[in-house]
Amino acid sequence: MSDFLIRRDDLRETRWVPADLPALPDGAARLKVDKFALTANNVTYATFGEQMKYWDFFPAADPADGRVPVWGFATVVESKVEHLKEGERFYGYLPISEHFDVQPVNVGKHGFLDGAAHRQGLAPIYNTYINTAGDPSYDAALEDQQMLFRPLFTTGWMIDDCLMETGDPVPETVVISSASSKTAMALAHCLKVRGGVDTIALTSPGNVAFLKKTGLYARVQTYDDADDLHTRGLTAFVDFLGRPTLTADIHNALKDRLVRSLIIGATDWEGDRSPIALPDPQPEFFFVPTYAAERAATLGGAEINRRLGAALKSFYAASKSFVTPKHAKGAKAIAKAWDQTVDAKVSPSEGLILSI
């Protein structure tokens, strides 16, 4: 067995290390990682690993190292848990490792929660493992799209819901930074399907043509033009880039038209994130597990899943027109893929699907 380790204070310093497979205790199960997606979202997990406790899901022996979580499929290879059988396959939060152990609780036909002590107090959405045999939204032909987009689309869908269903006031225009990121495109898709709201993409010059071709945005502009931005009506800014100087440009350009400013991630993870004084509204950090729990309390979990499931399937089909899965296998390929993702060298038209 081997684990992919990342130096917490230098995301470019990585290595594979051998790991022993200890005897499995009662109440535990061992899963083999089959395949997973790697996106800029995983770099965000590493960037905010300590602040948001992403490093806590799969602790490394040396606290200076981290095991970044990814989303993918894994198969049970050994089980000492009632009702959990070898050969069952699950979708969920995985380490970049050959195997990992869980302590399943609430085991049922749809899946289980990992009840391990070190995962207590962490967001349940990340501790949930979904059995493919009991997942109504699972489609074997769309596994790549599920790994690439299910968690990212969920974020995009929740942002859309936050702005357009529970927001007060509801914006007429949404400006989205790092607009070629997969979560940003998921949000743009949701807003386009909803209708009645303009979307403006902010991106680097090299991604302008790609974003125009997707048809997801009403307008595409580069970051250099942000200080001269014009929008229709009340406007929300959704920030995936995490660059305070850009946020300041948006706030100062839009003035009273800006009614919401949401911070989602930091694709510009090496940039200077020192705070800058801003005119209102002040930026809000949007954390999906918190918002999802609030909406589930209002609508009920079943209704959330119904709405999200229907939207997810439509996006899987739509995404095929602008993102092509790219498969790679082996330790060297995974290390290279991580380096490319950290350095933002992966084309937005590609989605990395990796296996050990």
Side-chain angles (χ1 to χ4, degrees):
M1 175 181 171
S2 58
D3 299 329
F4 183 66
L5 299 183
I6 300 164
R7 198 74 177 172
R8 291 191 185 192
D9 60 3
D10 182 358
L11 302 187
R12 290 187 176 85
E13 185 178 331
T14 65
R15 68 190 191 280
W16 286 93
V17 298
D20 294 331
L21 282 177
L24 197 66
D26 290 340
R30 179 162 292 149
L31 286 80
K32 176 182 179 295
V33 174
D34 297 330
K35 53 183 177 178
F36 58 91
L38 190 68
T39 71
N41 189 48
N42 304 109
V43 179
T44 296
Y45 289 157
T47 303
F48 294 102
E50 292 188 27
Q51 179 183 346
M52 304 304 296
K53 300 187 182 300
Y54 291 121
W55 294 129
D56 294 357
F57 286 90
F58 306 105
D62 184 343
D65 294 325
R67 299 168 69 195
V68 71
V70 292
W71 292 91
F73 292 96
T75 301
V76 177
V77 293
E78 186 178 356
S79 175
K80 293 188 176 181
V81 180
E82 189 176 9
H83 307 307
L84 192 64
K85 301 176 182 177
E86 292 180 14
E88 290 187 304
R89 198 156 179 262
F90 292 85
Y91 169 82
Y93 220 38
L94 318 175
I96 304 179
S97 301
E98 287 184 279
H99 300 85
F100 68 106
D101 294 348
V102 292
Q103 291 181 285
V105 296
N106 301 337
V107 180
K109 66 178 182 178
H110 297 298
F112 64 87
L113 288 171
D114 186 359
H118 71 274
R119 293 177 76 158
Q120 298 303 304
L122 301 176
I125 194 171
Y126 297 129
N127 286 336
T128 301
Y129 291 86
I130 303 170
N131 193 326
T132 57
D135 180 5
S137 68
Y138 173 75
D139 184 334
L142 295 173
E143 280 197 353
D144 290 349
Q145 286 72 26
Q146 179 170 335
M147 288 183 286
L148 285 167
F149 289 116
R150 184 163 179 164
L152 307 184
F153 182 83
T154 298
T155 299
W157 188 90
M158 290 289 178
I159 298 167
D160 168 85
D161 187 82
C162 175
L163 292 174
M164 309 306 293
E165 295 292 334
T166 67
D168 183 18
V170 172
E172 299 164 76
T173 300
V174 178
V175 179
I176 304 172
S177 69
S178 195
S180 64
S181 68
K182 292 173 177 59
T183 314
M185 291 192 290
L187 169 60
H189 170 84
C190 291
L191 292 167
K192 182 179 180 181
V193 169
R194 177 183 293 277
V197 57
D198 288 343
T199 53
I200 299 176
L202 294 179
T203 191
S204 57
N207 291 330
V208 169
F210 166 75
L211 285 177
K212 287 182 176 180
K213 187 178 179 181
T214 67
L216 292 172
Y217 297 95
R219 191 176 358 140
V220 180
Q221 294 187 207
T222 65
Y223 296 126
D224 290 340
D225 298 327
D227 58 356
D228 192 34
L229 185 65
H230 298 281
T231 64
R232 175 178 67 89
L234 300 178
T235 302
F237 175 47
V238 180
D239 183 23
F240 292 94
L241 187 68
R243 185 183 297 164
T245 53
L246 175 69
T247 303
D249 286 343
I250 299 296
H251 279 241
N252 289 320
L254 297 180
K255 298 182 171 65
D256 291 344
R257 279 170 293 169
L258 188 67
V259 294
R260 297 286 297 278
S261 182
L262 301 184
I263 302 169
I264 312 299
T267 56
D268 184 21
W269 64 276
E270 287 186 296
D272 182 359
R273 293 199 296 276
S274 301
I276 296 176
L278 299 170
D280 288 337
Q282 293 305 298
E284 315 162 42
F285 190 83
F286 184 82
F287 187 50
V288 173
T290 300
Y291 182 76
E294 292 171 354
R295 286 300 272 162
T298 301
L299 296 175
E303 177 60 16
I304 289 285
N305 290 336
R306 185 194 68 78
R307 295 185 187 186
L308 182 56
L312 189 60
K313 284 192 172 182
S314 74
F315 182 69
Y316 285 166
S319 72
K320 289 185 173 183
S321 67
F322 49 82
V323 174
T324 301
K326 181 180 179 181
H327 293 257
K329 184 177 182 178
K332 288 184 179 180
I334 291 170
K336 180 181 178 181
W338 175 258
D339 290 343
Q340 291 175 327
T341 305
V342 164
D343 290 333
K345 299 297 185 183
V346 180
S347 168
S349 65
E350 295 180 347
L352 300 180
I353 303 295
L354 307 173
S355 58
I356 297 173

